[in-house]
Amino acid sequence: MADVSFTQTFHHTDWVDDVDRVRAAEPNGFNARFNAIEADLQQLSAVVAEVDEVLSAGPTGSKQRRLTLPPVLAKVEGVTPWVIGSSGAASVTPGSSATGLLNLSLPNNVTLTTFRAIGEASGAAVTVALSSVALGSATPQQLVSVTGDTDPFDRAVQLDPDVARTTTATTRYFVKATVPTTPATAVVRLAAVQITYVVD
């Protein structure tokens, strides 16, 4: 966008009582002054129109964004929940299983590119999946998943372009983290989930 500026041209000079003869014509008359004010307003109007055109056009080109989500996993009925620790990480009680859901509020009509999970897993594995479900449906579609089975783990996968475009008017999205029953010595923590997407 080019620089936009406005330069005032009219500067009022006060009339003096009993000295100035105010007339319609003349360089200091009403007509000259009001014409100068009108010219400034026309220039200002042109500048406002130029700014409006740029703002209405919006940003150009693709922009990559990254959404980092804390693992505030909601309990799923009938299964053992994750435990949220003082650091904000979600963990599994040793010797048990855990399943939790994280509902997402994603931007509409963007392209999801990467799904990433970060944490630690010793003696067990955690599956973290990104899914969508049509509004009014009870059947989700898994878009992508990662498995964490090392201490620490940092896994990222690319999404299939065929399912990567968000349609939030008709679809909702959520993350599901699942760990099967672990040994009593196992340690599993989920620190964060990241979603990278492109706005175009």
Side-chain angles (χ1 to χ4, degrees):
M1 174 180 168
D3 291 338
V4 178
S5 63
F6 166 72
T7 303
Q8 179 181 343
T9 61
F10 175 74
H11 301 279
H12 177 68
T13 302
D14 290 341
W15 284 299
V16 179
D17 289 338
D18 301 323
V19 175
D20 291 312
R21 296 180 60 193
V22 180
R23 300 175 55 114
E26 302 179 353
N28 198 34
F30 278 109
N31 288 343
R33 292 200 178 192
F34 284 127
N35 286 336
I37 293 172
E38 182 180 23
D40 271 357
L41 291 174
Q42 288 174 341
Q43 181 188 358
L44 182 59
S45 175
V47 169
V48 170
E50 186 177 348
V51 171
D52 179 67
E53 181 181 352
V54 172
L55 293 177
S56 298
T60 58
S62 297
K63 306 290 184 183
Q64 180 174 285
R65 300 284 185 264
R66 181 176 292 112
L67 182 63
T68 301
L69 304 164
V72 185
L73 300 165
K75 179 181 179 180
V76 177
E77 186 178 359
V79 297
T80 306
W82 288 76
V83 177
I84 307 301
S86 59
S87 68
S91 62
V92 179
T93 302
S96 69
S97 61
T99 299
L101 296 180
L102 177 62
N103 286 305
L104 304 179
S105 180
L106 297 176
N108 185 48
N109 201 31
V110 299
T111 302
L112 306 177
T113 56
T114 307
F115 181 67
R116 179 185 180 197
I118 304 163
E120 57 184 293
S122 175
V126 54
T127 300
V128 187
L130 172 64
S131 298
S132 66
V133 60
L135 299 182
S137 172
T139 306
Q141 175 190 7
Q142 183 173 293
L143 306 180
V144 69
S145 71
V146 297
T147 299
D149 56 3
T150 59
D151 183 11
F153 68 82
D154 185 345
R155 304 283 168 79
V157 292
Q158 302 295 312
L159 274 87
D160 183 342
D162 290 340
V163 298
R165 200 77 174 178
T166 60
T167 54
T168 58
T170 58
T171 310
R172 65 181 179 84
Y173 299 84
F174 64 92
V175 172
K176 183 177 183 179
T178 306
V179 178
T181 302
T182 65
T185 56
V187 174
V188 180
R189 290 189 184 90
L190 183 61
V193 173
Q194 282 189 342
I195 297 174
T196 304
Y197 61 91
V198 173
V199 181
D200 50 18

